[in-house]
């Protein structure tokens, strides 16, 4: 193992965790910078479990004036 990563953690779990962190950052950013929030959320890959939620947020932020 590397650091505190367990050897049973698979790559899809890591992608999901990373993607959820990105989504959390995007939601926080949307409060003051919807365009920046959209750019962050667009970095979430389609195979991530939070992808559909990110796409929904992107649509909402675009409708609210984000690009």
């Amino acid at each position: 193992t590397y650091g505190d990563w367990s050897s049973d953690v698979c790559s899809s779990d890591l992608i999901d965790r990373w993607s959820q962190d990105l989504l959390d950052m995007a939601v926080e950013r949307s409060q003051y910078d919807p365009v920046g929030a959209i750019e962050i959320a667009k970095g979430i890959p389609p195979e991530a479990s939070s992808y559909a939620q990110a796409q929904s947020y992107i649509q909402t932020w675009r409708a609210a004036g984000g690009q």
Side-chain angles (χ1 to χ4, degrees), residues 44-66:
I44 296 172
E47 64 271 16
S49 62
S50 57
Y51 179 78
Q53 186 177 18
Q55 295 304 304
S56 177
Y57 277 125
I58 288 170
Q59 290 179 357
T60 300
W61 297 328
R62 283 185 174 150

Side-chain angles (χ1 to χ4, degrees), residues 15 18-23 25-26 36-48 50-51 54-55 58 61:
I15 290 170
W18 174 79
S19 298
Q20 186 60 53
D21 287 346
L22 276 182
L23 185 58
M25 288 189 301
I38 290 167
E39 290 305 311
I40 292 170
K42 284 168 55 177
I44 296 172
E47 64 271 16
S50 57
Y51 179 78
Q55 295 304 304
I58 288 170
W61 297 328

